[in-house]
């Protein structure tokens, strides 16, 4: 069975190989040998490619590069690793790739110091976020509030939550259903820019939004 590490997309397709017949004697009817083509693709979101080990009782092989592929049958080890062209990937797996959900979109909104008010630049991003959410049939939106390292951790956790809620309210006011939006806070526990305590860093005063 193939086992893939994170940051990889593993696709399979069944292929049937016809059995040949010897011209010197009448061949007995045989069943075609089913073959599975296994392909490793980069992760659609991060663009990185992981690794996958493909094995059965006769042996194993490893896929570790974009578009690396192997063919597997039930009566022999996995075949040699080859690299499919982009055209071959589209021809063989185009329908499966088209059916995949779109990769999540990520947005970062920044806030004024010790406030839940967006900066002007971040306010300008709101229409794009709304277009992205409304373009999905069944959207899920995760809103996570963050702070810099100024102040008490408990106060920062509450401030991060307040910032996340303010962004949720903006999205709901624009027409999104509250049930599609998940709100949480990390306070100062997940800094974008690593700083010592009590350091005012505007890039850490943010809300991260994931739309999927």
């Amino acid at each position: 069975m193939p086992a893939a590490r994170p940051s990889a997309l593993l696709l399979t397709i069944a292929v049937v190989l016809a059995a040949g017949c010897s011209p010197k004697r009448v061949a007995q009817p045989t069943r075609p040998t089913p073959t599975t083509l296994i392909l490793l693709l980069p992760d659609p979101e991060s663009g990185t490619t992981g690794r996958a080990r493909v094995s059965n009782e006769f042996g194993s092989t490893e896929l570790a590069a974009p578009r690396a592929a192997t063919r597997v049958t039930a009566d022999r080890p996995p075949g040699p690793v080859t690299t499919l062209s982009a055209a071959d990937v589209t021809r063989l797996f185009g329908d499966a790739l088209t059916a995949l959900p779109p990769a999540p979109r990520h947005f970062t909104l920044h806030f004024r110091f010790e406030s839940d008010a967006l900066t002007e630049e971040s306010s300008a991003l709101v229409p794009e976020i709304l277009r992205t959410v409304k373009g999905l049939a069944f959207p899920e939106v995760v809103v996570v509030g963050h702070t810099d390292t100024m102040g008490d951790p408990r106060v920062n956790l509450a401030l991060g939550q307040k910032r996340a809620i303010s962004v949720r309210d903006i999205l709901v006011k624009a027409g999104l259903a509250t049930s599609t939006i998940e709100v949480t806070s990390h306070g100062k526990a997940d800094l974008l820019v690593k700083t010592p305590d009590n350091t005012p860093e505007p890039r850490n005063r943010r809300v991260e939004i994931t739309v999927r």
Side-chain angles (χ1 to χ4, degrees):
M1 296 292 294
R5 299 181 185 177
S7 301
L9 179 62
L10 201 62
L11 297 178
T12 63
I13 188 170
V15 183
V16 174
L17 301 179
C21 298
S22 171
K24 297 181 180 180
R25 59 188 178 88
V26 177
Q28 296 297 320
T30 59
R31 293 182 179 179
T33 303
T35 298
T36 299
L37 175 63
I38 300 177
L39 171 70
L40 184 69
L41 293 178
D43 177 75
E45 182 177 357
S46 67
T48 60
T49 304
R51 308 172 78 90
R53 179 168 293 277
V54 182
S55 61
N56 59 16
E57 60 181 305
F58 299 101
S60 66
T61 191
E62 188 170 88
L63 307 179
R67 304 196 308 276
T70 184
R71 295 177 185 267
V72 181
T73 59
D75 58 353
R76 66 193 68 178
V81 176
T82 59
T83 301
L84 298 186
S85 67
D88 284 339
V89 172
T90 300
R91 177 173 57 85
L92 294 171
F93 296 97
D95 290 343
L97 292 171
T98 301
L100 290 173
R105 290 283 307 277
H106 300 283
F107 301 91
T108 301
L109 304 180
H110 294 281
F111 290 79
R112 297 188 175 94
F113 180 60
E114 292 185 346
S115 171
D116 62 348
L118 293 172
T119 63
E120 291 184 7
E121 294 82 358
S122 292
S123 294
L125 285 175
V126 172
E128 182 181 354
I129 297 171
L130 294 173
R131 285 193 299 270
T132 300
V133 176
K134 292 181 177 180
L136 300 174
F138 302 100
E140 294 181 7
V141 183
V142 179
V143 181
V144 183
H146 301 266
T147 71
D148 60 21
T149 59
M150 297 293 291
D152 182 83
R154 290 174 296 181
V155 173
N156 284 325
L157 194 64
L159 178 57
Q161 185 77 5
K162 187 177 180 181
R163 287 171 172 168
I165 289 173
S166 72
V167 170
R168 181 198 63 189
D169 291 346
I170 291 172
L171 300 178
V172 169
K173 186 176 180 180
L176 302 187
T178 305
S179 59
T180 66
I181 306 173
E182 177 185 337
V183 174
T184 189
S185 172
H186 290 176
K188 65 177 184 179
D190 186 16
L191 300 174
L192 182 65
V193 180
K194 302 300 181 183
T195 68
D197 282 343
N198 296 313
T199 301
E201 173 51 63
R203 288 170 291 180
N204 286 331
R205 300 193 293 267
R206 71 198 193 278
V207 160
E208 294 179 343
I209 302 173
T210 300
V211 179
R212 55 174 179 261

